Amino acid sequence: LSLYTTRKEVEDSIMLTSCKNILDFLKIDFVLTFKYSLLLSIAHLLLIPVIRGISNLDNIHSAGVLGQSVALIGAIILIPITKQELETGIKEIIYTRAWSYMKSVGFRFLCGFLLIAVVITAFAMIMLCNNCIFPFWGYITVTILYAVFLGLLGLVFSQAGSNVIIGYLSALAYWSFCQLEIIKESSIAYMFPIVNGTLAIQKLVTLFLTVIILLGVLLALIKYSIRRI
C-alpha cells in the first residue's frame, strides 16, 4: 500500500509539473509567438469584405473568398512559430527549460492550428450571416486544411533556409502562381480542392497527403537542426 501510494504521488507530481509547464508555456511563449501574427490575420480578414465583398455570394464565389483570401492566414499564423529560434540560434525555449525544442514547436503548431480553425470558422459564419450560400462544414474543413498547407509550405522553407522571410516568400509565390493561373485548377499542383463550387475528392486526398509529407519534412529539418547544435 505504501509503495502504491508513493507511485501515485510521483505520478500526480509529474502530472502537476506538466500542467504547470503548459500554463507557463501558454502565458509566455504563446503571446510571444502569436501576438503579431494574430493581429495581422485579423487585419487581413477585415480587408477582405472591402476588397472583394462577402455578401450574397453563391457557392462558387464563396469558395473563391475562402480559398483565395481567407486561407492566407495559415501562412501568417504558422510560419513565425520557429521565428524566435531562427533569429537567435537557440533551440531551447529560454523561459521553459522543461520543454525541448521539438516539443515547443509541436505545441506551437497545435496552437496555430486551433487558431486557424477558430478564425476561419468565425469568418465563414459571418459569410453565412451575410446571405452567402455554401455547404458550411465541408467548405471550412477544406479551407482549414488548405490554410495549414500554405503555412507548412512556408514553414518548411523558412526552416530549410533558417529565415522566416524565405518562408513568407515561398508561400506568397505559390499563392500568386495560383492567382495568376500559372498553376491552373486542372494541375496536380493546384491544392485547393474546391473547383467550380464542387469538392474534388482526388484533390482533397492529394492535399491531405501533401500536408502529411510537409509535416514529415518539417520534423526531419527540426531534428537535423537540433543535431547541429
Side-chain angles (χ1 to χ4, degrees):
L1 182 61
S2 177
L3 180 60
Y4 173 78
T5 304
T6 302
R7 283 188 61 184
K8 190 173 187 306
E9 287 175 350
V10 171
E11 290 173 356
D12 290 343
S13 177
I14 292 172
M15 187 176 297
L16 286 172
T17 302
S18 298
C19 291
K20 183 178 183 299
N21 288 335
I22 292 173
L23 290 174
D24 289 341
F25 188 91
L26 288 173
K27 285 191 295 186
I28 299 170
D29 196 82
F30 182 87
V31 176
L32 287 174
T33 303
F34 295 108
K35 179 172 63 176
Y36 296 112
S37 59
L38 189 56
L39 290 174
L40 187 58
S41 296
I42 293 171
H44 170 68
L45 294 177
L46 290 174
L47 285 174
I48 294 174
V50 177
I51 295 173
R52 59 187 305 164
I54 58 168
S55 299
N56 303 307
L57 302 179
D58 59 16
N59 61 329
I60 295 176
H61 291 92
S62 295
V65 169
L66 292 170
Q68 296 170 10
S69 299
V70 178
L72 269 177
I73 68 166
I76 297 172
I77 289 175
L78 287 182
I79 291 174
I81 67 173
T82 58
K83 183 174 183 287
Q84 298 172 53
E85 288 76 19
L86 292 178
E87 286 184 346
T88 62
I90 299 172
K91 300 304 181 185
E92 294 293 330
I93 301 301
I94 296 172
Y95 302 101
T96 50
R97 293 287 183 180
W99 290 78
S100 67
Y101 178 51
M102 181 71 77
K103 187 184 289 187
S104 298
V105 173
F107 199 75
R108 290 175 194 165
F109 180 83
L110 178 61
C111 290
F113 173 81
L114 293 175
L115 283 175
I116 290 168
V118 169
V119 171
I120 288 177
T121 302
F123 193 89
M125 290 178 69
I126 292 172
M127 290 178 65
L128 284 181
C129 291
N130 281 276
N131 301 315
C132 294
I133 300 172
F134 59 92
F136 181 77
W137 291 111
Y139 272 31
I140 64 168
T141 300
V142 298
T143 303
I144 290 168
L145 189 61
Y146 184 61
V148 171
F149 159 74
L150 290 175
L152 277 173
L153 180 67
L155 195 53
V156 165
F157 276 93
S158 66
Q159 192 70 29
S162 299
N163 193 315
V164 291
I165 300 300
I166 296 174
Y168 284 122
L169 290 176
S170 62
L172 183 60
Y174 176 84
W175 178 81
S176 299
F177 288 161
C178 292
Q179 291 294 100
L180 297 171
E181 296 187 356
I182 296 172
I183 299 177
K184 298 184 181 297
E185 287 185 348
S186 57
S187 171
I188 193 172
Y190 189 90
M191 291 294 167
F192 190 61
I194 299 175
V195 180
N196 294 323
T198 303
L199 178 62
I201 300 300
Q202 185 176 357
K203 283 189 174 295
L204 177 60
V205 172
T206 302
L207 174 62
F208 180 77
L209 292 176
T210 303
V211 167
I212 298 299
I213 291 169
L214 287 174
L215 269 174
V217 173
L218 178 63
L219 289 175
L221 288 171
I222 290 174
K223 289 181 179 178
Y224 174 74
S225 67
I226 292 173
R227 286 198 298 267
R228 290 177 58 190
I229 299 175

